[in-house]
RNA sequence: GGGGGGAUGCCCGAGUGGCUAAAGGGGACGGGCUGUAAACCCGUUGGCUAUGCCUACGUUGGUUCGAAUCCAACUCCCCCCA
């Protein structure tokens, strides 16, 4: 099975991280010889990363665990420009305050996946604002400009697609690829970083960095991209009804995170196990073979493992317990979303519409009304048919709460206080 | 600087004086089938103290019994020419 010389490249290919590489054999050779340094950049466009970035994070983790040194690059500088790659239209410019705030949120998650420190294979974090913010325009143009022809820049997908669709591409955005290339060379010089990795939409940006490195620093750099992940039915990873699947726990509960993985489509289970868990390949092969009802066990393993990494072992166990009592025994688990309401208020009687709205299961009374009309509203597992009904203290069950359900999957608990 | 086009609900997109809370599609939500899957089928999709009321078609005014639809000014965006 060991087709390649290095542990890293072997695992990389076996587990499905590999999409394109500038020179896989040479990289393999290098990785086999000793620790290599690689980086992935993360733009600070939101206060937390979501599942869409998880492939990159897992890749850095794999890289570190196979004996190499990862660099996490925070795009404090490049986010001020805005990456046009893979976007139909320009994003609104973020303020510097937003970017700082986002960066602080994003930083947290890496502690869970990587080991930081001073050692040879310890991860480090850098911020490209440190060198981009103070660039001198003319100097940059003279140093870097001659190595980019506009002719070539126009051929990159990020630019070409915009032009073809006759969507505007500002000069600001047009510069993004140059700055990212500059980043790579900068890291090559300062950290002896030889490899840049990223999602497949980053290919153009990465290749530019590799070329620039060869021209201005006479360094042999490598680039590697991961496949763009969509679910088997074509949806982008990481977005659901209620929004993105955030990695930060203040942005999404442990239970919801676990549930996201539990609800993976059948066709994706194997792929996800390879990318998002660290189970051995033969174990994954076994789980992948399960069919019908049984594949649900594989999904639970996936949810457990993925949640453990991101949220910790306890969080995973608790989320699983809640899910099992809720779905398999029709009961309720403790980590269901809970809303507290004053006991006196409940005793006085609350309309069902208000109740569902307050529990966050309906966005307005009208929404709650539709839910009831559609037959999806349940209180303590009893279907609600009358939208004018009021709920009083007698709805509080033996566990001291009221269980509300909207459809089969969304549940919440009302807790009198 | 000149000329042209545009801004509609979560998104795309029809509508060009009353029948418009606004076609159609996507998405989303609910139901059915199942396995907390996919596919498929059905329904729903502005708010409210609800046979009515309010808010909504870039912003602000105007014409009119009545405007998303007509007029004026403004803002933003795109295209072409200079």
């Amino acid at each position: 099975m060991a087709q390649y010389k290095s542990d890293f490249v072997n695992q990389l290919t076996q587990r499905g991280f590999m999409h394109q590489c500038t020179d896989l054999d040479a990289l393999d050779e290098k990785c086999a010889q000793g620790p290599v340094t690689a980086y992935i950049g993360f733009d600070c466009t939101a206060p937390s990363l979501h599942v869409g970035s998880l492939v990159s994070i897992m890749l850095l983790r794999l890289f570190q665990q196979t004996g190499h040194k990862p660099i996490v690059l925070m795009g404090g500088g490049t986010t001020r420009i805005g990456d046009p790659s893979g976007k139909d239209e320009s994003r609104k410019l973020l303020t510097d305050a937003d970017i700082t705030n986002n960066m602080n949120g994003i930083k947290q998650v890496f502690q869970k996946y990587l080991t930081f420190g001073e050692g040879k294979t310890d991860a480090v974090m850098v911020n490209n604002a440190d060198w981009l913010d103070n660039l001198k325009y003319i100097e940059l143009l003279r140093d870097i400009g001659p190595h980019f022809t506009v002719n070539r820049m126009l051929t990159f997908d990020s630019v070409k697609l915009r032009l073809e669709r006759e969507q505007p591409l500002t000069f600001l955005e047009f510069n993004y690829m140059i700055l990212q290339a500059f980043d790579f060379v900068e890291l090559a010089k300062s950290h002896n970083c030889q490899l840049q990795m990223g999602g497949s939409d980053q290919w153009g940006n990465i290749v530019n960095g590799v070329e620039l490195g060869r021209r201005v620093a006479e360094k042999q750099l490598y680039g590697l991209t991961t496949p763009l992940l969509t679910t088997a039915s074509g949806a982008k990873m990481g977005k659901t009804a209620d929004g993105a699947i955030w990695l930060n726990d203040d942005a999404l509960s442990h239970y919801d995170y676990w549930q996201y993985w539990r609800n993976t489509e059948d066709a994706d289970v194997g792929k996800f196990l390879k990318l998002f868990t660290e189970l051995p390949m033969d174990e994954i092969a076994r789980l992948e073979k399960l069919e019908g009802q049984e594949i649900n066990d594989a999904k639970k393993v996936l949810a457990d493992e993925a949640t453990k990494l991101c949220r910790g072992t306890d969080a995973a166990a608790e989320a699983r317990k809640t899910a099992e009592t809720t779905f398999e025994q029709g009961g309720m688990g403790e980590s269901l979303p809970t809303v507290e309401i004053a006991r006196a208020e409940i005793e006085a009687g609350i309309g069902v519409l208000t109740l569902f709205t307050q529990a966050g299961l309906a966005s307005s009374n009208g929404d709650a009304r539709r839910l009831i009309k559609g037959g999806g509203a349940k209180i303590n597992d009893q279907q609600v048919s009358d939208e004018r009904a009021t709920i009083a203290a007698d709805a509080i069950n033996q566990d001291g709460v009221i269980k509300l359900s909207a459809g089969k999957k969304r549940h919440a608990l009302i807790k009198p206080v």
Side-chain angles (χ1 to χ4, degrees):
Chain A
M1 193 71 196
Q3 192 187 343
Y4 294 95
K5 294 176 187 164
S6 69
D7 195 14
F8 174 64
V9 176
N10 271 319
Q11 294 220 36
L12 174 82
T13 46
Q14 282 169 27
R15 299 192 84 101
F17 284 97
M18 173 59 196
H19 182 245
Q20 283 172 292
C21 182
T22 53
D23 188 345
L24 191 59
D25 291 330
L27 178 64
D28 181 38
E29 189 68 44
K30 208 140 209 111
C31 289
Q33 281 166 15
V36 173
T37 303
Y39 92 95
I40 299 184
F42 295 86
D43 272 342
C44 310
T45 48
S48 164
L49 294 175
H50 58 78
V51 169
S53 302
L54 198 53
V55 184
S56 291
I57 298 174
M58 290 300 290
L59 179 57
L60 278 182
R61 181 177 164 93
L62 175 68
F63 188 67
Q64 181 169 50
Q65 299 208 325
T66 50
H68 303 284
K69 185 178 186 73
I71 299 177
V72 176
L73 173 88
M74 303 306 292
T78 34
T79 307
R80 299 177 74 190
I81 310 290
D83 187 1
S85 304
K87 298 189 183 67
D88 277 0
E89 49 189 48
S90 358
R91 285 270 202 95
K92 224 182 86 195
L93 283 181
L94 291 155
T95 64
D96 289 348
D98 281 340
I99 293 173
T100 307
N101 183 40
N102 291 343
M103 197 185 321
N104 290 334
I106 289 172
K107 276 181 182 172
Q108 300 167 21
V109 78
F110 290 100
Q111 312 295 335
K112 298 185 180 140
Y113 288 89
L114 300 173
T115 309
F116 287 84
E118 305 290 319
K120 234 175 28 181
T121 64
D122 282 344
V124 292
M125 185 177 283
V126 297
N127 177 359
N128 63 11
D130 290 347
W131 57 84
L132 293 181
D133 278 0
N134 296 314
L135 283 177
K136 298 226 168 44
Y137 192 57
I138 305 285
E139 233 167 71
L140 176 77
L141 287 181
R142 284 186 63 96
D143 291 348
I144 306 299
H147 303 293
F148 287 87
T149 64
V150 171
N151 312 50
R152 181 123 200 283
M153 288 173 79
L154 292 176
T155 66
F156 285 96
D157 276 357
S158 57
V159 172
K160 203 171 64 181
L161 290 175
R162 285 280 184 91
L163 297 180
E164 274 170 7
R165 293 184 194 184
E166 302 196 338
Q167 290 292 321
L169 175 81
T170 64
F171 184 64
L172 177 77
E173 297 170 285
F174 189 56
N175 280 272
Y176 189 92
M177 66 170 94
I178 292 179
L179 293 180
Q180 187 165 330
F182 186 84
D183 279 351
F184 195 176
V185 175
E186 186 65 27
L187 287 174
K189 288 180 183 164
S190 62
H191 290 74
N192 192 30
C193 174
Q194 292 178 287
L195 171 64
Q196 180 182 179
M197 307 190 283
S200 58
D201 58 338
Q202 293 298 310
W203 181 249
N205 291 337
I206 292 173
V207 166
N208 271 314
V210 172
E211 296 239 329
L212 188 66
R214 204 185 59 228
R215 290 174 185 221
V216 307
E218 279 151 24
K219 283 186 188 284
Q220 176 60 58
L221 304 179
Y222 300 92
L224 187 152
T225 57
T226 55
L228 179 67
L229 272 203
T230 54
T231 68
S233 44
K236 266 195 193 151
M237 279 286 295
K239 307 273 183 182
T240 64
D242 303 314
I245 303 303
W246 304 110
L247 300 182
N248 288 8
D249 23 357
D250 53 3
L252 187 79
S253 74
H254 301 323
Y255 168 75
D256 285 329
Y257 190 79
W258 193 92
Q259 274 291 300
Y260 172 75
W261 294 106
R262 171 61 186 83
N263 282 311
T264 298
E265 296 175 26
D266 287 9
D268 289 323
V269 172
K271 184 168 75 179
F272 287 4
L273 281 167
K274 285 181 205 149
L275 291 168
F276 302 118
T277 77
E278 289 175 330
L279 297 173
M281 289 299 285
D282 50 354
E283 172 68 0
I284 292 176
R286 185 186 70 78
L287 290 168
E288 250 182 320
K289 282 204 204 88
L290 299 175
E291 277 178 23
Q293 178 86 261
E294 291 191 322
I295 201 165
N296 287 332
D297 293 332
K299 291 182 188 180
K300 285 193 204 169
V301 173
L302 169 64
D304 278 349
E305 295 299 315
T307 308
K308 267 187 215 169
L309 284 173
C310 187
R311 306 302 183 86
T313 311
D314 294 349
E318 198 182 315
R320 179 183 187 137
K321 205 176 105 207
T322 294
E324 283 179 343
T325 33
T326 307
F327 290 101
E328 291 169 22
Q329 292 147 38
M332 359 166 262
E334 288 159 12
S335 16
L336 287 178
T338 304
V339 174
E340 300 185 339
I341 292 182
R343 183 174 289 273
E345 218 178 307
I346 296 172
E347 279 165 3
I350 298 183
V352 281
L353 299 179
T354 316
L355 207 56
F356 274 90
T357 312
Q358 289 204 0
L361 294 177
S363 58
S364 66
N365 285 3
D367 196 32
R369 198 169 275 123
R370 283 191 285 274
L371 192 65
I372 291 168
K373 224 181 284 172
K378 296 202 190 90
I379 293 176
N380 295 327
D381 301 310
Q382 295 288 306
Q383 196 179 76
V384 180
S385 52
D386 179 10
E387 55 185 61
R388 285 162 194 270
T390 52
I391 295 312
D394 59 350
I396 300 170
N397 64 18
Q398 61 271 37
D399 295 311
V401 293
I402 303 172
K403 180 187 177 194
L404 302 185
S405 312
K408 282 180 222 156
K409 288 193 198 170
R410 294 154 61 220
H411 305 279
L413 302 179
I414 297 288
K415 192 174 183 184
V417 285

